[in-house]
Amino acid sequence: MNEGNRVPPGAGTEEAAGAGPTPDGDFELAKPARPTPLHEPDPYSTPPYGEPGPWAPAPPVQHPGTTPTHGTPLPPPAGPHGPTPAFPGAPAPASPAPAVTGGPATAPAPPSAPLPETAPLQGLTAVPEPVVAGAPIPVPLVAPGPAQDPWGRYDPWGRGPLQQAGAVPDGERRNGRRGRRLLVVWTLAVALVASGIGGVVGAYVEREGLGGEVTLPQAGSVPAGRAPDSVAGIAARALPSVVTLHVSGSGEEGTGTGFVLDDRGHILTNNHVVAAAASGGKISATFSDGDSVKATVVGRDSGYDLAVVQVHGVRGLTPLTLGDSDGVRVGDPVVAIGAPFDLANTVTAGIISAKERPITAGGEEGDGSDVSYVDALQTDAPINPGNSGGPLLDSRAHVIGINSAIRSADGGSDTEGGQAGSIGLGFAIPVNQARRVAEELINDGHASHPVIGVTLDMGYTGDGARIDDHSANGGPAVIEGGPGARAGLAPGDLITRVDGERVHTGEELIVKVRAHRPGDRLRLTVEHGGAEREVSLVLGTSEQN
Protein backbone atom coordinates (compact mmCIF):
# COMPACT_ATOMS: atom_id res chain seq x y z
CA MET A 1 0.00 0.00 0.00
CA ASN A 2 1.29 3.24 -1.07
CA GLU A 3 2.13 5.75 1.70
CA GLY A 4 0.57 8.39 -0.37
CA ASN A 5 -2.71 6.51 -0.40
CA ARG A 6 -3.38 7.04 3.29
CA VAL A 7 -6.82 7.24 4.64
CA PRO A 8 -7.35 10.75 5.94
CA PRO A 9 -7.62 11.24 9.62
CA GLY A 10 -11.05 10.73 10.87
CA ALA A 11 -11.66 7.60 8.77
CA GLY A 12 -13.78 5.17 10.66
CA THR A 13 -15.51 7.95 12.47
CA GLU A 14 -19.02 9.23 11.83
CA GLU A 15 -17.68 11.92 9.54
CA ALA A 16 -16.01 9.18 7.31
CA ALA A 17 -18.96 6.83 7.20
CA GLY A 18 -19.31 5.07 3.84
CA ALA A 19 -15.59 5.04 3.08
CA GLY A 20 -13.88 1.62 2.60
CA PRO A 21 -11.87 -0.59 0.32
CA THR A 22 -12.92 -1.13 -3.25
CA PRO A 23 -13.46 -4.62 -4.72
CA ASP A 24 -9.94 -4.67 -6.20
CA GLY A 25 -8.45 -3.91 -2.78
CA ASP A 26 -7.43 -0.37 -3.56
CA PHE A 27 -8.40 2.46 -1.30
CA GLU A 28 -10.53 5.29 -2.45
CA LEU A 29 -10.79 8.74 -0.96
CA ALA A 30 -13.69 9.09 1.35
CA LYS A 31 -16.57 11.18 0.14
CA PRO A 32 -17.45 13.91 2.53
CA ALA A 33 -20.81 13.78 4.21
CA ARG A 34 -23.11 16.77 3.48
CA PRO A 35 -23.71 18.77 6.64
CA THR A 36 -27.22 19.11 7.91
CA PRO A 37 -28.55 22.73 8.01
CA LEU A 38 -29.14 24.18 11.48
CA HIS A 39 -32.53 25.58 10.44
CA GLU A 40 -35.00 25.31 7.64
CA PRO A 41 -33.56 26.65 4.40
CA ASP A 42 -34.77 30.07 3.28
CA PRO A 43 -37.05 29.37 0.31
CA TYR A 44 -36.39 32.86 -1.10
CA SER A 45 -32.65 32.96 -0.38
CA THR A 46 -32.98 36.74 0.18
CA PRO A 47 -29.96 38.37 1.85
CA PRO A 48 -29.22 39.02 4.59
CA TYR A 49 -31.66 36.38 5.82
CA GLY A 50 -30.04 33.37 4.07
CA GLU A 51 -27.89 31.07 6.16
CA PRO A 52 -24.18 31.24 5.31
CA GLY A 53 -22.32 27.97 4.76
CA PRO A 54 -20.30 26.35 7.51
CA TRP A 55 -17.09 27.39 5.78
CA ALA A 56 -17.74 31.12 5.98
CA PRO A 57 -17.49 33.43 9.02
CA ALA A 58 -20.51 35.22 10.42
CA PRO A 59 -21.35 38.41 8.48
CA PRO A 60 -20.47 41.74 10.08
CA VAL A 61 -23.06 44.13 11.45
CA GLN A 62 -24.72 45.87 8.55
CA HIS A 63 -25.87 49.52 8.70
CA PRO A 64 -28.83 50.20 6.45
CA GLY A 65 -28.49 52.54 3.54
CA THR A 66 -30.48 52.98 0.41
CA THR A 67 -32.14 49.66 -0.54
CA PRO A 68 -31.65 48.75 -4.24
CA THR A 69 -34.50 47.69 -6.44
CA HIS A 70 -35.52 44.10 -5.81
CA GLY A 71 -33.84 41.69 -8.19
CA THR A 72 -30.71 43.72 -8.85
CA PRO A 73 -27.78 41.21 -9.18
CA LEU A 74 -24.67 41.76 -7.09
CA PRO A 75 -21.21 40.72 -8.41
CA PRO A 76 -19.70 37.98 -6.23
CA PRO A 77 -16.34 39.08 -4.87
CA ALA A 78 -13.48 36.63 -4.78
CA GLY A 79 -12.69 34.96 -1.49
CA PRO A 80 -9.71 32.94 -0.28
CA HIS A 81 -11.23 29.69 -1.62
CA GLY A 82 -12.76 31.03 -4.76
CA PRO A 83 -15.83 33.02 -5.60
CA THR A 84 -18.08 33.78 -2.65
CA PRO A 85 -21.74 32.87 -3.05
CA ALA A 86 -23.93 35.76 -4.18
CA PHE A 87 -25.86 35.43 -0.95
CA PRO A 88 -25.67 33.18 2.10
CA GLY A 89 -27.07 29.74 1.59
CA ALA A 90 -26.45 29.66 -2.15
CA PRO A 91 -24.10 26.88 -3.42
CA ALA A 92 -20.61 28.04 -4.19
CA PRO A 93 -19.29 27.50 -7.75
CA ALA A 94 -17.19 24.38 -8.24
CA SER A 95 -13.45 24.77 -8.09
CA PRO A 96 -10.87 22.26 -9.23
CA ALA A 97 -9.54 20.04 -6.49
CA PRO A 98 -5.88 20.24 -5.77
CA ALA A 99 -3.71 17.50 -7.27
CA VAL A 100 -2.54 14.71 -5.00
CA THR A 101 1.06 13.61 -5.53
CA GLY A 102 1.72 9.92 -6.00
CA GLY A 103 -1.89 8.80 -6.30
CA PRO A 104 -3.32 7.02 -9.23
CA ALA A 105 -6.46 8.98 -9.17
CA THR A 106 -7.48 12.53 -8.35
CA ALA A 107 -10.02 12.94 -5.59
CA PRO A 108 -11.58 15.98 -4.00
CA ALA A 109 -10.15 17.13 -0.72
CA PRO A 110 -12.15 16.43 2.40
CA PRO A 111 -13.90 19.35 4.05
CA SER A 112 -11.92 21.31 6.52
CA ALA A 113 -12.75 21.25 10.17
CA PRO A 114 -14.49 24.36 11.49
CA LEU A 115 -12.15 27.12 12.56
CA PRO A 116 -11.89 27.81 16.26
CA GLU A 117 -13.67 30.93 17.39
CA THR A 118 -10.59 33.02 17.98
CA ALA A 119 -9.73 36.43 16.79
CA PRO A 120 -7.57 36.46 13.67
CA LEU A 121 -3.99 37.50 14.04
CA GLN A 122 -3.66 41.02 12.81
CA GLY A 123 -1.03 41.60 10.20
CA LEU A 124 0.16 37.96 10.00
CA THR A 125 0.13 35.66 6.96
CA ALA A 126 0.67 31.93 7.30
CA VAL A 127 3.51 30.32 5.27
CA PRO A 128 2.06 27.75 2.88
CA GLU A 129 3.08 24.11 3.42
CA PRO A 130 3.34 21.35 0.82
CA VAL A 131 0.09 19.71 0.11
CA VAL A 132 0.12 16.07 1.12
CA ALA A 133 -2.33 13.65 -0.37
CA GLY A 134 -5.08 12.96 2.03
CA ALA A 135 -4.13 15.80 4.38
CA PRO A 136 -6.52 18.66 5.14
CA ILE A 137 -6.00 21.83 3.22
CA PRO A 138 -4.56 24.44 5.57
CA VAL A 139 -6.35 27.71 5.97
CA PRO A 140 -4.01 30.66 5.59
CA LEU A 141 -4.01 33.19 8.41
CA VAL A 142 -4.48 36.48 6.67
CA ALA A 143 -5.30 39.76 8.33
CA PRO A 144 -8.88 40.54 7.42
CA GLY A 145 -9.39 43.43 5.11
CA PRO A 146 -11.68 44.58 2.38
CA ALA A 147 -10.07 42.15 -0.10
CA GLN A 148 -9.96 39.09 2.19
CA ASP A 149 -13.17 39.52 4.22
CA PRO A 150 -15.88 37.74 2.24
CA TRP A 151 -18.46 40.05 3.82
CA GLY A 152 -16.35 43.15 3.75
CA ARG A 153 -17.52 44.21 0.31
CA TYR A 154 -20.95 42.72 0.60
CA ASP A 155 -23.58 45.45 0.26
CA PRO A 156 -27.08 44.05 -0.25
CA TRP A 157 -28.40 47.55 -0.96
CA GLY A 158 -26.08 48.16 -3.88
CA ARG A 159 -24.21 51.15 -2.43
CA GLY A 160 -20.50 51.93 -2.06
CA PRO A 161 -18.40 51.43 1.04
CA LEU A 162 -20.48 50.90 4.14
CA GLN A 163 -20.89 53.85 6.52
CA GLN A 164 -22.99 54.68 9.54
CA ALA A 165 -26.43 56.07 8.98
CA GLY A 166 -26.40 59.88 9.17
CA ALA A 167 -22.63 60.19 9.00
CA VAL A 168 -21.37 63.08 6.91
CA PRO A 169 -18.09 62.86 5.04
CA ASP A 170 -15.41 65.26 6.19
CA GLY A 171 -15.51 67.20 2.97
CA GLU A 172 -19.24 67.67 3.12
CA ARG A 173 -19.01 68.62 6.82
CA ARG A 174 -16.46 71.31 6.03
CA ASN A 175 -18.56 72.56 3.15
CA GLY A 176 -21.64 72.73 5.45
CA ARG A 177 -19.81 74.77 8.08
CA ARG A 178 -18.45 77.09 5.42
CA GLY A 179 -21.97 77.52 3.98
CA ARG A 180 -23.46 78.35 7.37
CA ARG A 181 -20.75 80.93 8.03
CA LEU A 182 -21.37 82.53 4.66
CA LEU A 183 -25.14 82.60 5.37
CA VAL A 184 -24.62 84.38 8.73
CA VAL A 185 -22.22 86.91 7.21
CA TRP A 186 -24.60 87.68 4.34
CA THR A 187 -27.56 88.01 6.72
CA LEU A 188 -25.69 90.54 8.88
CA ALA A 189 -24.52 92.46 5.86
CA VAL A 190 -28.03 92.69 4.42
CA ALA A 191 -29.46 93.80 7.79
CA LEU A 192 -26.85 96.56 8.16
CA VAL A 193 -27.40 97.82 4.65
CA ALA A 194 -31.19 97.75 5.06
CA SER A 195 -31.08 99.65 8.37
CA GLY A 196 -28.77 102.28 6.93
CA ILE A 197 -30.96 102.77 3.88
CA GLY A 198 -34.07 102.96 6.08
CA GLY A 199 -32.54 105.62 8.32
CA VAL A 200 -31.45 107.75 5.36
CA VAL A 201 -34.84 107.47 3.68
CA GLY A 202 -36.69 108.25 6.95
CA ALA A 203 -34.56 111.33 7.61
CA TYR A 204 -35.08 112.56 4.07
CA VAL A 205 -38.84 112.05 4.27
CA GLU A 206 -39.02 113.86 7.61
CA ARG A 207 -36.89 116.77 6.35
CA GLU A 208 -38.62 117.16 3.00
CA GLY A 209 -42.11 116.56 4.40
CA LEU A 210 -43.04 113.96 1.81
CA GLY A 211 -46.37 112.25 2.08
CA GLY A 212 -48.71 115.24 2.01
CA GLU A 213 -49.50 118.09 4.38
CA VAL A 214 -48.97 117.73 8.13
CA THR A 215 -52.14 117.53 10.21
CA LEU A 216 -51.62 117.90 13.94
CA PRO A 217 -53.88 116.02 16.38
CA GLN A 218 -56.32 117.97 18.49
CA ALA A 219 -58.54 117.08 21.42
CA GLY A 220 -62.27 116.92 20.98
CA SER A 221 -64.55 119.85 21.58
CA VAL A 222 -64.85 121.04 25.17
CA PRO A 223 -68.36 121.19 26.62
CA ALA A 224 -69.72 124.72 26.54
CA GLY A 225 -71.08 124.68 30.07
CA ARG A 226 -69.04 125.24 33.23
CA ALA A 227 -69.79 124.60 36.86
CA PRO A 228 -71.38 127.72 38.42
CA ASP A 229 -68.82 127.80 41.23
CA SER A 230 -65.79 127.41 38.93
CA VAL A 231 -63.67 130.41 37.99
CA ALA A 232 -65.00 130.25 34.45
CA GLY A 233 -68.58 130.02 35.68
CA ILE A 234 -68.13 132.99 38.05
CA ALA A 235 -66.47 135.08 35.34
CA ALA A 236 -69.19 134.29 32.82
CA ARG A 237 -71.87 135.62 35.19
CA ALA A 238 -69.95 138.67 36.45
CA LEU A 239 -68.24 140.08 33.35
CA PRO A 240 -71.37 141.65 31.77
CA SER A 241 -71.77 143.76 34.94
CA VAL A 242 -68.16 144.99 35.15
CA VAL A 243 -67.12 148.25 33.44
CA THR A 244 -63.76 149.84 32.69
CA LEU A 245 -63.53 153.53 33.64
CA HIS A 246 -61.30 155.99 31.78
CA VAL A 247 -60.96 159.25 33.70
CA SER A 248 -59.35 162.54 32.70
CA GLY A 249 -59.26 165.99 34.36
CA SER A 250 -57.04 168.42 36.26
CA GLY A 251 -54.17 167.42 33.97
CA GLU A 252 -54.41 163.79 35.00
CA GLU A 253 -55.60 160.59 33.34
CA GLY A 254 -56.23 157.20 34.80
CA THR A 255 -57.92 153.88 34.39
CA GLY A 256 -59.95 151.96 36.92
CA THR A 257 -62.83 149.54 37.26
CA GLY A 258 -66.38 149.59 38.57
CA PHE A 259 -69.45 147.35 38.67
CA VAL A 260 -73.18 147.87 38.25
CA LEU A 261 -75.18 148.32 41.48
CA ASP A 262 -78.72 148.57 40.06
CA ASP A 263 -80.72 148.86 36.84
CA ARG A 264 -80.72 152.70 37.15
CA GLY A 265 -77.08 152.82 36.03
CA HIS A 266 -75.34 153.38 39.37
CA ILE A 267 -71.77 152.06 39.37
CA LEU A 268 -69.60 151.65 42.47
CA THR A 269 -65.85 152.33 42.31
CA ASN A 270 -62.99 153.84 44.35
CA ASN A 271 -62.74 157.50 45.15
CA HIS A 272 -59.14 157.71 44.00
CA VAL A 273 -60.22 156.40 40.56
CA VAL A 274 -62.59 159.33 39.82
CA ALA A 275 -60.98 162.06 41.96
CA ALA A 276 -59.35 163.67 38.88
CA ALA A 277 -62.80 164.23 37.28
CA ALA A 278 -64.44 165.70 40.41
CA SER A 279 -63.92 169.28 39.16
CA GLY A 280 -65.28 169.15 35.60
CA GLY A 281 -63.35 166.17 34.26
CA LYS A 282 -64.62 163.39 32.00
CA ILE A 283 -65.46 159.77 32.78
CA SER A 284 -66.07 157.09 30.11
CA ALA A 285 -67.55 153.71 31.09
CA THR A 286 -66.85 150.77 28.74
CA PHE A 287 -68.82 147.54 29.20
CA SER A 288 -67.56 144.04 28.51
CA ASP A 289 -69.27 143.96 25.11
CA GLY A 290 -67.26 147.02 24.02
CA ASP A 291 -70.00 149.67 24.29
CA SER A 292 -68.80 152.95 25.87
CA VAL A 293 -70.95 155.66 27.45
CA LYS A 294 -70.35 158.79 29.50
CA ALA A 295 -70.64 158.70 33.30
CA THR A 296 -71.03 161.39 35.98
CA VAL A 297 -70.07 161.46 39.68
CA VAL A 298 -73.00 160.99 42.08
CA GLY A 299 -71.02 161.10 45.34
CA ARG A 300 -67.64 160.20 46.74
CA ASP A 301 -65.99 159.78 50.16
CA SER A 302 -62.22 159.96 50.66
CA GLY A 303 -62.37 158.52 54.19
CA TYR A 304 -63.76 155.25 52.87
CA ASP A 305 -62.17 155.59 49.42
CA LEU A 306 -65.52 154.94 47.74
CA ALA A 307 -67.42 156.71 45.00
CA VAL A 308 -70.59 156.21 42.93
CA VAL A 309 -70.93 157.24 39.26
CA GLN A 310 -73.94 156.89 37.01
CA VAL A 311 -74.47 156.14 33.30
CA HIS A 312 -77.63 157.10 31.33
CA GLY A 313 -79.37 155.65 28.32
CA VAL A 314 -78.15 152.10 28.85
CA ARG A 315 -80.72 149.31 28.85
CA GLY A 316 -80.48 145.73 30.00
CA LEU A 317 -78.06 146.38 32.83
CA THR A 318 -77.44 143.41 35.09
CA PRO A 319 -76.41 144.42 38.64
CA LEU A 320 -74.10 142.20 40.66
CA THR A 321 -75.44 140.67 43.87
CA LEU A 322 -73.84 141.96 47.08
CA GLY A 323 -72.75 139.27 49.52
CA ASP A 324 -71.92 139.21 53.25
CA SER A 325 -68.31 140.06 54.05
CA ASP A 326 -68.79 139.18 57.74
CA GLY A 327 -69.34 135.52 56.75
CA VAL A 328 -66.08 135.26 54.81
CA ARG A 329 -63.45 132.87 56.17
CA VAL A 330 -59.72 132.79 55.60
CA GLY A 331 -58.98 130.37 52.77
CA ASP A 332 -62.23 130.94 50.88
CA PRO A 333 -61.68 131.05 47.10
CA VAL A 334 -62.18 134.42 45.43
CA VAL A 335 -62.10 135.90 41.91
CA ALA A 336 -61.01 139.44 41.05
CA ILE A 337 -62.06 141.21 37.84
CA GLY A 338 -60.61 144.46 36.52
CA ALA A 339 -58.48 146.24 33.93
CA PRO A 340 -54.87 146.03 35.16
CA PHE A 341 -52.71 148.39 33.10
CA ASP A 342 -55.78 149.04 30.91
CA LEU A 343 -56.22 145.34 30.02
CA ALA A 344 -60.01 145.22 30.28
CA ASN A 345 -61.97 142.19 31.49
CA THR A 346 -59.00 140.54 33.19
CA VAL A 347 -59.91 137.72 35.54
CA THR A 348 -57.63 136.48 38.33
CA ALA A 349 -58.25 134.04 41.16
CA GLY A 350 -56.95 133.38 44.66
CA ILE A 351 -58.12 133.02 48.25
CA ILE A 352 -58.86 135.18 51.26
CA SER A 353 -55.50 135.47 52.98
CA ALA A 354 -56.62 137.41 56.07
CA LYS A 355 -59.43 139.55 57.48
CA GLU A 356 -59.63 142.91 59.30
CA ARG A 357 -56.30 144.19 58.03
CA PRO A 358 -56.12 147.88 59.12
CA ILE A 359 -54.72 149.81 56.15
CA THR A 360 -54.54 153.49 55.30
CA ALA A 361 -54.20 154.92 51.83
CA GLY A 362 -54.04 158.36 50.27
CA GLY A 363 -52.73 161.36 52.18
CA GLU A 364 -51.53 163.25 49.12
CA GLU A 365 -53.23 166.45 50.35
CA GLY A 366 -50.95 166.65 53.37
CA ASP A 367 -53.70 167.63 55.85
CA GLY A 368 -55.02 164.06 56.21
CA SER A 369 -58.35 164.93 54.65
CA ASP A 370 -57.84 162.41 51.87
CA VAL A 371 -56.58 159.55 54.02
CA SER A 372 -58.75 156.42 53.87
CA TYR A 373 -58.99 153.98 56.72
CA VAL A 374 -60.05 150.49 55.75
CA ASP A 375 -60.57 147.36 57.83
CA ALA A 376 -59.70 145.36 54.72
CA LEU A 377 -59.93 141.82 53.39
CA GLN A 378 -56.51 140.54 52.28
CA THR A 379 -56.26 138.36 49.16
CA ASP A 380 -53.54 136.80 47.06
CA ALA A 381 -55.57 137.14 43.86
CA PRO A 382 -53.34 139.28 41.60
CA ILE A 383 -54.41 142.95 41.77
CA ASN A 384 -52.53 145.60 39.77
CA PRO A 385 -53.01 149.26 38.83
CA GLY A 386 -56.31 149.39 36.96
CA ASN A 387 -58.01 146.78 39.19
CA SER A 388 -59.09 149.46 41.71
CA GLY A 389 -62.85 149.66 42.13
CA GLY A 390 -63.44 146.21 40.65
CA PRO A 391 -65.39 143.45 42.43
CA LEU A 392 -63.91 140.71 44.58
CA LEU A 393 -66.30 137.74 44.17
CA ASP A 394 -66.92 134.62 46.19
CA SER A 395 -67.72 131.15 44.79
CA ARG A 396 -71.37 132.16 44.21
CA ALA A 397 -70.37 135.22 42.16
CA HIS A 398 -71.48 137.51 45.00
CA VAL A 399 -69.49 140.67 45.69
CA ILE A 400 -67.70 140.46 49.05
CA GLY A 401 -65.22 143.32 48.56
CA ILE A 402 -64.06 146.23 46.41
CA ASN A 403 -60.43 145.94 45.30
CA SER A 404 -58.69 149.09 46.50
CA ALA A 405 -55.00 148.76 47.41
CA ILE A 406 -51.90 146.63 47.02
CA ARG A 407 -48.74 146.31 49.03
CA SER A 408 -45.81 147.37 46.86
CA ALA A 409 -42.39 145.79 46.84
CA ASP A 410 -40.89 148.94 48.39
CA GLY A 411 -42.93 148.33 51.55
CA GLY A 412 -45.55 151.04 51.05
CA SER A 413 -49.22 150.77 50.13
CA ASP A 414 -50.28 151.97 46.73
CA THR A 415 -53.74 153.09 45.62
CA GLU A 416 -52.56 153.13 42.02
CA GLY A 417 -50.85 156.46 42.21
CA GLY A 418 -47.71 154.65 41.00
CA GLN A 419 -46.98 151.66 38.78
CA ALA A 420 -46.22 149.07 41.42
CA GLY A 421 -47.03 145.48 40.51
CA SER A 422 -48.72 142.72 42.46
CA ILE A 423 -46.65 140.71 44.91
CA GLY A 424 -49.65 138.72 46.15
CA LEU A 425 -50.73 141.26 48.79
CA GLY A 426 -54.00 142.87 47.73
CA PHE A 427 -56.66 144.56 49.89
CA ALA A 428 -60.37 145.02 49.39
CA ILE A 429 -62.95 147.11 51.26
CA PRO A 430 -65.48 144.75 52.91
CA VAL A 431 -68.79 144.93 51.05
CA ASN A 432 -70.82 145.36 54.24
CA GLN A 433 -69.08 148.67 54.85
CA ALA A 434 -69.22 149.65 51.16
CA ARG A 435 -72.93 148.94 50.93
CA ARG A 436 -73.79 151.43 53.67
CA VAL A 437 -71.53 154.10 52.18
CA ALA A 438 -72.89 153.54 48.66
CA GLU A 439 -76.49 153.87 49.85
CA GLU A 440 -75.69 157.17 51.60
CA LEU A 441 -73.81 158.49 48.57
CA ILE A 442 -76.75 157.68 46.23
CA ASN A 443 -79.41 158.93 48.63
CA ASP A 444 -77.66 161.90 50.29
CA GLY A 445 -74.66 162.66 48.09
CA HIS A 446 -72.32 162.15 51.02
CA ALA A 447 -71.56 159.50 53.68
CA SER A 448 -71.57 159.72 57.48
CA HIS A 449 -68.64 158.61 59.61
CA PRO A 450 -68.95 157.01 63.09
CA VAL A 451 -66.84 158.80 65.74
CA ILE A 452 -66.02 158.57 69.49
CA GLY A 453 -65.53 162.34 69.85
CA VAL A 454 -61.82 162.48 70.80
CA THR A 455 -58.56 163.67 69.22
CA LEU A 456 -55.84 161.03 69.03
CA ASP A 457 -52.10 161.56 69.35
CA MET A 458 -50.93 160.19 65.95
CA GLY A 459 -47.29 160.68 66.93
CA TYR A 460 -47.46 158.33 69.91
CA THR A 461 -45.02 155.43 69.45
CA GLY A 462 -46.12 153.22 72.32
CA ASP A 463 -48.51 150.29 72.16
CA GLY A 464 -52.11 151.43 71.91
CA ALA A 465 -54.07 154.57 70.86
CA ARG A 466 -53.41 157.52 73.16
CA ILE A 467 -55.88 160.45 73.52
CA ASP A 468 -54.04 163.73 72.89
CA ASP A 469 -53.86 166.54 75.40
CA HIS A 470 -55.61 169.00 73.06
CA SER A 471 -57.12 169.17 69.59
CA ALA A 472 -55.45 170.34 66.41
CA ASN A 473 -56.93 173.88 66.73
CA GLY A 474 -55.93 174.13 70.36
CA GLY A 475 -59.30 173.10 71.80
CA PRO A 476 -60.02 170.22 74.19
CA ALA A 477 -59.01 166.74 73.01
CA VAL A 478 -62.27 165.28 74.32
CA ILE A 479 -65.27 167.01 72.72
CA GLU A 480 -67.72 168.16 75.27
CA GLY A 481 -71.01 166.27 75.10
CA GLY A 482 -69.57 163.78 72.68
CA PRO A 483 -69.64 159.95 72.98
CA GLY A 484 -66.18 159.90 74.65
CA ALA A 485 -67.00 162.54 77.20
CA ARG A 486 -70.23 160.76 78.14
CA ALA A 487 -68.25 157.48 78.60
CA GLY A 488 -65.72 159.20 80.91
CA LEU A 489 -62.72 159.34 78.60
CA ALA A 490 -60.02 161.92 79.45
CA PRO A 491 -56.85 163.33 77.84
CA GLY A 492 -53.89 160.96 78.25
CA ASP A 493 -56.03 157.84 78.37
CA LEU A 494 -54.55 154.85 76.48
CA ILE A 495 -57.11 152.75 74.58
CA THR A 496 -55.73 149.21 74.20
CA ARG A 497 -58.75 147.11 73.09
CA VAL A 498 -61.99 147.48 71.13
CA ASP A 499 -64.58 144.80 71.82
CA GLY A 500 -61.77 142.65 73.20
CA GLU A 501 -59.51 142.99 70.12
CA ARG A 502 -56.07 144.49 70.57
CA VAL A 503 -55.21 147.82 68.93
CA HIS A 504 -51.61 148.99 68.63
CA THR A 505 -51.85 152.42 66.97
CA GLY A 506 -54.23 155.34 66.49
CA GLU A 507 -54.80 154.30 62.84
CA GLU A 508 -55.98 150.89 63.97
CA LEU A 509 -58.46 152.48 66.39
CA ILE A 510 -59.92 154.64 63.58
CA VAL A 511 -60.19 151.56 61.30
CA LYS A 512 -62.05 149.62 64.00
CA VAL A 513 -64.44 152.50 64.61
CA ARG A 514 -65.18 153.06 60.90
CA ALA A 515 -65.99 149.42 60.44
CA HIS A 516 -69.23 150.18 62.36
CA ARG A 517 -72.23 152.32 61.73
CA PRO A 518 -73.08 155.44 63.73
CA GLY A 519 -75.17 154.42 66.73
CA ASP A 520 -73.36 151.10 67.25
CA ARG A 521 -72.18 150.43 70.83
CA LEU A 522 -68.49 149.68 71.50
CA ARG A 523 -66.69 148.33 74.58
CA LEU A 524 -63.27 149.91 75.14
CA THR A 525 -60.40 148.84 77.42
CA VAL A 526 -58.59 151.91 78.79
CA GLU A 527 -55.42 152.36 80.85
CA HIS A 528 -54.44 155.47 82.78
CA GLY A 529 -51.72 155.83 85.44
CA GLY A 530 -51.18 152.05 85.55
CA ALA A 531 -54.86 151.32 86.21
CA GLU A 532 -57.04 149.55 83.64
CA ARG A 533 -60.79 149.94 83.20
CA GLU A 534 -63.49 149.20 80.65
CA VAL A 535 -65.91 151.79 79.26
CA SER A 536 -68.94 151.47 76.97
CA LEU A 537 -69.99 154.13 74.49
CA VAL A 538 -72.37 154.68 71.55
CA LEU A 539 -70.79 155.90 68.33
CA GLY A 540 -71.70 159.35 67.12
CA THR A 541 -71.88 160.78 63.56
CA SER A 542 -69.59 163.14 61.72
CA GLU A 543 -70.66 164.89 58.53
CA GLN A 544 -67.11 165.67 57.55
CA ASN A 545 -66.21 164.07 54.24
Side-chain angles (χ1 to χ4, degrees):
M1 185 172 57
N2 243 330
E3 187 177 358
N5 295 329
R6 289 177 302 176
V7 178
T13 63
E14 293 181 359
E15 289 82 354
T22 58
D24 58 358
D26 293 331
F27 285 89
E28 188 178 31
L29 293 177
K31 298 181 180 179
R34 185 176 183 86
T36 303
L38 300 180
H39 59 79
E40 292 297 327
D42 182 9
Y44 301 101
S45 299
T46 303
Y49 306 106
E51 178 66 16
W55 59 86
V61 177
Q62 301 295 318
H63 298 280
T66 304
T67 305
T69 307
H70 182 71
T72 303
L74 297 175
H81 302 289
T84 303
F87 50 84
S95 60
V100 180
T101 306
T106 300
S112 301
L115 294 177
E117 296 182 0
T118 58
L121 299 178
Q122 301 294 332
L124 298 179
T125 304
V127 178
E129 298 180 355
V131 179
V132 181
I137 300 174
V139 179
L141 299 176
V142 182
Q148 291 79 16
D149 187 1
W151 292 92
R153 297 178 59 190
Y154 173 66
D155 186 359
W157 289 276
R159 300 183 59 181
L162 300 178
Q163 57 188 357
Q164 293 184 349
V168 180
D170 292 341
E172 295 183 9
R173 186 179 297 108
R174 288 193 295 272
N175 292 338
R177 288 197 294 268
R178 186 181 300 109
R180 286 192 293 272
R181 287 197 294 269
L182 290 176
L183 177 61
V184 172
V185 171
W186 274 106
T187 301
L188 293 176
V190 171
L192 290 175
V193 172
S195 61
I197 294 175
V200 172
V201 172
Y204 179 79
V205 170
E206 181 179 2
R207 182 177 64 254
E208 299 297 330
L210 301 180
E213 297 180 354
V214 176
T215 302
L216 299 178
Q218 186 177 14
S221 59
V222 179
R226 292 291 187 275
D229 58 348
S230 66
V231 175
I234 295 169
R237 286 184 285 172
L239 277 172
S241 302
V242 179
V243 299
T244 301
L245 300 175
H246 293 90
V247 181
S248 62
S250 303
E252 298 179 4
E253 292 184 354
T255 302
T257 308
F259 60 92
V260 177
L261 288 174
D262 54 26
D263 56 2
R264 296 166 60 181
H266 291 111
I267 296 172
L268 182 62
T269 186
N270 282 136
N271 175 67
H272 71 264
V273 171
V274 299
S279 302
K282 295 181 180 179
I283 302 175
S284 173
T286 303
F287 291 85
S288 60
D289 59 2
D291 292 340
S292 295
V293 295
K294 291 181 179 181
T296 57
V297 176
V298 173
R300 63 191 186 93
D301 188 283
S302 60
Y304 288 108
D305 195 19
L306 292 173
V308 175
V309 300
Q310 187 174 17
V311 296
H312 299 279
V314 180
R315 298 181 180 274
L317 295 176
T318 304
L320 285 179
T321 303
L322 304 182
D324 181 11
S325 57
D326 290 341
V328 174
R329 296 292 180 266
V330 174
D332 284 349
V334 291
V335 173
I337 301 178
F341 300 101
D342 206 14
L343 297 174
N345 305 320
T346 296
V347 178
T348 57
I351 62 170
I352 295 294
S353 303
K355 293 177 61 176
E356 300 177 354
R357 290 294 196 196
I359 65 170
T360 59
E364 287 80 6
E365 298 296 333
D367 57 358
S369 60
D370 61 339
V371 177
S372 59
Y373 299 90
V374 179
D375 197 18
L377 297 174
Q378 180 182 328
T379 179
D380 66 347
I383 296 174
N384 289 287
N387 275 102
S388 288
L392 185 68
L393 307 161
D394 64 11
S395 60
R396 295 176 294 176
H398 294 169
V399 180
I400 58 173
I402 293 84
N403 302 319
S404 300
I406 61 174
R407 179 65 63 179
S408 301
D410 60 1
S413 61
D414 193 346
T415 55
E416 306 205 54
Q419 293 296 311
S422 172
I423 60 172
L425 294 174
F427 303 95
I429 301 171
V431 73
N432 289 2
Q433 179 177 329
R435 179 173 177 269
R436 178 185 68 84
V437 174
E439 289 176 348
E440 292 181 356
L441 292 176
I442 293 173
N443 297 327
D444 305 328
H446 59 85
S448 61
H449 296 179
V451 294
I452 60 174
V454 299
T455 300
L456 297 178
D457 182 4
M458 304 305 291
Y460 178 70
T461 58
D463 189 27
R466 178 179 181 276
I467 299 176
D468 206 345
D469 295 329
H470 50 78
S471 66
N473 56 10
V478 178
I479 301 173
E480 296 180 1
R486 292 194 298 268
L489 294 179
D493 283 347
L494 188 65
I495 302 174
T496 58
R497 295 178 184 275
V498 175
D499 291 337
E501 295 182 5
R502 188 76 184 186
V503 294
H504 302 282
T505 63
E507 288 82 359
E508 287 189 19
L509 178 60
I510 297 173
V511 168
K512 295 295 183 182
V513 170
R514 292 206 176 170
H516 295 79
R517 293 173 178 266
D520 289 348
R521 182 174 290 276
L522 297 182
R523 187 180 72 256
L524 304 179
T525 301
V526 181
E527 293 181 3
H528 190 88
E532 184 180 84
R533 70 184 189 278
E534 286 191 359
V535 299
S536 178
L537 58 81
V538 177
L539 293 176
T541 301
S542 171
E543 300 296 335
Q544 182 182 1
N545 187 13

